[in-house]
Amino acid sequence: MKLIKTFSLILVLMLCVGCNNLTDNQDKGHAENVISNSPNIILFVSDDHGTDALGSYGNPIIKTPNLDKLASEGVRFTNAYCTSASCAASRSVILSGQFGHATGSYGHVHDYHHFSTFDGVQSLSNRLSDAGYLTARIGKYHVAPEAVYLFDEVLEADPRNTVEMANASKNVINANKPFFLYFCTDDPHRGHPFNPDPWDAPNTFGNKEGGYAGVEQIVYDPKDVLVPDFLPDTKESREEIAQYYQSVSRIDQGFGKLMEHLKDAGKLDTTIVFYISDNGMAFPGAKTTVYEPGIKLPCIIKDPTKPKGGIVNDARISWVDLTPTILDMANVSFNADEFHGKSFKDIIYEEKVEGWDKIYASHTFHEITMYYPMRVVIDGDYKLIWNIAYRLDYPFASDLWAASTWQAIYRNDEEYFGKRTVKDYMFRPEFELFNLTKDPSESINLAENDTYRETLESMKAKMKDFQLKTKDPWLIMWDHDSSLQGTGVNL
């Protein structure tokens, strides 16, 4: 009798294990079926590239033929925004669909800064892997922890050589199932050393004597570059911008090589391509600020299933929208309430779009020594910046402080840095209100103008609502509003 009972128990256990294996296999099969007809997706992210340095965005000097071709065949957004003009903070938003103030991604990950996303966050790469995609990353990572931002494959190449990066991606491109390739360059970020010797030497922006294997060196004459109006038109600025342009042209060549590999694999018609940057150019007045040069960025998308290209879309979209949009395009189901952004899949190829005129931005740290939280709402013509720590000097990133572009002004005790006085750049008011249509340079602060009192209060209300909905801890800075604060007691 005991033998029969024992045999019966073993049989039941075997059946249970078999059922579990069957369920696992069914789940895997379901995931593979879900994505069998889904597109490949490439998310190409450059490092510190503004709209100022692309031919398709109106720069007649810089040579970016491959990215310009992408724009002519796809869609170029003219109002695309990151949420924080800082590398790590911005990338966490790109890959999570949530603002950094809600995920713990307040600033830089590397070295002693050590900000990190909360463990419970589900990232884009993890979601796509779970759905059956092959996910791979190459180049700059700059997010943590790896368990949150996990990829099936990590490819190795020099992140300053985008041609080498493209070549290293061939096996992923030739995979026998849909892939998601997260392709992140180090260009055109400033290069080491950040402190030049002599002080007025331009930063290299990753350029080097002799260049990079497989990459044509495209050199620019400083007298020919275009100096944005937020920068001083000085010898130092022009020399640094020329180096920046050279780095951007290297990106373009690598992008072209990546498209060649797609074509050779026969996957140009089945691959959606995104080109974006994490934040604006690495110059004072852009990177680490929430002014337009810091957060208004290139965004070019090509969906080969769409018959028409060369579209210019003026909808306001944000990097917090990217994760839900890519999941939507990949046919991966998700709960929209899990994200702070929303999918813009259905309006990508629309030339006239209504209802896409509002975005938010949220910056807290760059380096850990740079505490200067700012919150932004843009709605219609108006933009409100709340400088929460306005009593502090505006902090400098270490590489931007050492930049000859800044030092030429600082050492010579110049009054102006571009259109702003040095004093106004260093010491911000609590609120800055701009009419972006009439004042695209953000040089006229309307916050203290009684004529705009009603507009200011309306924009403040929208900002508070945004902070409440996204569980921003800095909501407490409005009249000590502690509605989001915990008890401090573990129950």
Side-chain angles (χ1 to χ4, degrees):
M1 193 67 175
K2 278 187 178 180
L3 184 61
I4 293 173
K5 286 184 178 180
T6 302
F7 177 76
S8 299
L9 180 59
I10 292 172
L11 183 61
V12 169
L13 290 172
M14 289 176 66
L15 286 171
C16 288
V17 170
C19 288
N20 285 337
N21 287 338
L22 181 60
T23 302
D24 289 343
N25 290 332
Q26 284 176 339
D27 287 345
K28 290 176 183 175
H30 176 68
E32 289 173 1
N33 288 334
V34 166
I35 58 98
S36 60
N37 295 315
S38 293
N40 308 304
I41 298 170
I42 295 176
L43 179 56
F44 192 118
V45 185
S46 58
D47 196 355
D48 302 353
H49 186 195
T51 58
D52 56 278
L54 272 166
S56 56
Y57 278 85
N59 187 323
I61 305 301
I62 196 162
K63 295 177 175 64
T64 51
N66 295 297
L67 290 168
D68 297 344
K69 181 182 179 184
L70 184 71
S72 70
E73 295 174 346
V75 179
R76 176 172 62 87
F77 282 86
T78 57
N79 284 300
Y81 288 82
C82 68
T83 65
S84 176
S86 179
C87 302
S90 181
R91 290 163 193 269
S92 73
V93 175
I94 290 168
L95 291 175
S96 72
Q98 297 183 51
F99 287 94
H101 62 241
T103 65
S105 306
Y106 303 130
H108 275 344
V109 168
H110 68 290
D111 294 336
Y112 54 85
H113 312 297
H114 206 58
F115 290 109
S116 184
T117 301
F118 300 144
D119 292 343
V121 173
Q122 272 195 294
S123 73
L124 173 62
S125 54
N126 292 30
R127 291 171 186 269
L128 289 174
S129 290
D130 289 346
Y133 266 79
L134 169 64
T135 62
R137 66 174 174 89
I138 186 168
K140 187 163 185 172
Y141 188 43
H142 219 35
V143 287
E146 189 171 8
V148 168
Y149 302 103
L150 194 62
F151 288 79
D152 299 327
E153 295 189 17
V154 179
L155 310 177
E156 298 294 336
D158 183 349
R160 289 288 187 181
N161 185 339
T162 43
V163 170
E164 182 182 313
M165 291 173 68
N167 291 338
S169 303
K170 288 175 67 174
N171 286 343
V172 170
I173 289 172
N174 285 285
N176 59 8
K177 67 176 182 176
F179 65 81
F180 170 63
L181 176 61
Y182 184 55
F183 192 105
C184 301
T185 69
D186 272 7
D187 292 325
H189 193 288
R190 285 177 176 267
H192 289 282
F194 291 150
N195 291 291
D197 184 17
W199 70 264
D200 59 349
N203 186 270
T204 65
F205 288 82
N207 306 315
K208 65 179 183 179
E209 188 175 347
Y212 293 85
V215 181
E216 177 191 356
Q217 275 194 304
I218 299 176
V219 179
Y220 295 87
D221 191 324
K223 70 177 176 55
D224 295 331
V225 304
L226 304 181
V227 182
D229 65 4
F230 69 90
L231 291 177
D233 190 349
T234 61
K235 169 181 173 290
E236 290 79 13
S237 290
R238 287 182 169 275
E239 288 176 346
E240 292 213 298
I241 292 171
Q243 293 290 325
Y244 165 61
Y245 279 14
Q246 183 175 334
S247 189
V248 170
S249 286
R250 188 163 57 251
I251 291 172
D252 184 79
Q253 291 181 59
F255 181 83
K257 180 61 69 174
L258 194 63
M259 294 304 101
E260 278 184 34
H261 292 324
L262 266 185
K263 182 179 180 180
D264 292 345
K267 294 187 178 181
L268 273 177
D269 295 334
T270 57
T271 304
I272 297 171
V273 179
F274 289 72
Y275 179 83
I276 64 170
S277 171
D278 58 356
N279 49 249
M281 66 191 299
F283 285 75
K287 184 177 179 178
T288 77
T289 79
V290 289
Y291 295 131
E292 296 292 278
I295 63 174
K296 188 175 181 180
L297 302 175
C299 178
I300 307 172
I301 303 173
K302 181 184 176 184
D303 181 345
T305 67
K306 305 298 182 183
K308 188 178 179 183
I311 291 171
V312 178
N313 190 321
D314 66 356
R316 279 205 180 104
I317 60 169
S318 167
W319 287 182
V320 79
D321 300 322
L322 284 170
T323 283
T325 299
I326 291 172
L327 291 174
D328 204 1
M329 297 176 91
N331 303 314
V332 175
S333 61
F334 59 90
N335 180 353
D337 293 337
E338 294 181 61
F339 303 114
H340 296 148
K342 59 183 178 179
S343 171
F344 55 84
K345 172 193 168 189
D346 293 338
I347 59 100
I348 291 177
Y349 275 76
E350 299 292 329
E351 297 189 73
K352 296 294 181 183
V353 182
E354 294 184 0
W356 287 81
D357 50 10
K358 184 188 298 182
I359 64 103
Y360 301 93
S362 172
H363 177 95
T364 305
F365 287 89
H366 180 65
E367 298 165 11
I368 197 170
T369 52
M370 294 176 63
Y371 176 76
Y372 203 86
M374 298 172 283
R375 301 294 182 262
V376 179
V377 57
I378 303 177
D379 191 4
D381 292 335
Y382 291 98
K383 174 178 180 178
L384 177 66
I385 301 173
W386 180 27
N387 297 307
I388 299 173
Y390 68 98
R391 294 179 181 87
L392 300 176
D393 297 6
Y394 191 79
F396 264 88
S398 52
D399 57 336
L400 301 188
W401 173 262
S404 60
T405 294
W406 172 255
Q407 286 294 318
I409 301 301
Y410 175 72
R411 287 169 180 257
N412 293 313
D413 200 24
E414 299 284 352
E415 182 180 1
Y416 278 86
F417 183 82
K419 284 197 168 185
R420 288 184 174 82
T421 67
V422 172
K423 181 180 178 181
D424 286 344
Y425 186 79
M426 294 292 295
F427 303 97
R428 312 283 173 90
E430 183 176 11
F431 294 102
E432 296 176 86
L433 178 66
F434 303 110
N435 185 318
L436 293 178
T437 302
K438 295 180 179 179
D439 178 29
S441 298
E442 301 167 286
S443 56
I444 304 170
N445 184 10
L446 305 174
E448 298 301 322
N449 188 326
D450 288 340
T451 304
Y452 296 91
R453 181 62 49 197
E454 187 175 331
T455 301
L456 176 62
E457 293 307 316
S458 172
M459 296 290 279
K460 284 182 181 180
K462 292 170 185 176
M463 186 176 287
K464 290 178 184 178
D465 186 55
F466 153 69
Q467 290 183 275
L468 186 62
K469 287 180 178 177
T470 59
K471 297 182 179 178
D472 182 359
W474 276 263
L475 181 69
I476 197 173
M477 302 306 291
W478 294 99
D479 302 320
H480 301 284
D481 182 343
S482 61
S483 57
L484 290 181
Q485 305 303 307
T487 63
V489 178
N490 292 323
L491 300 178

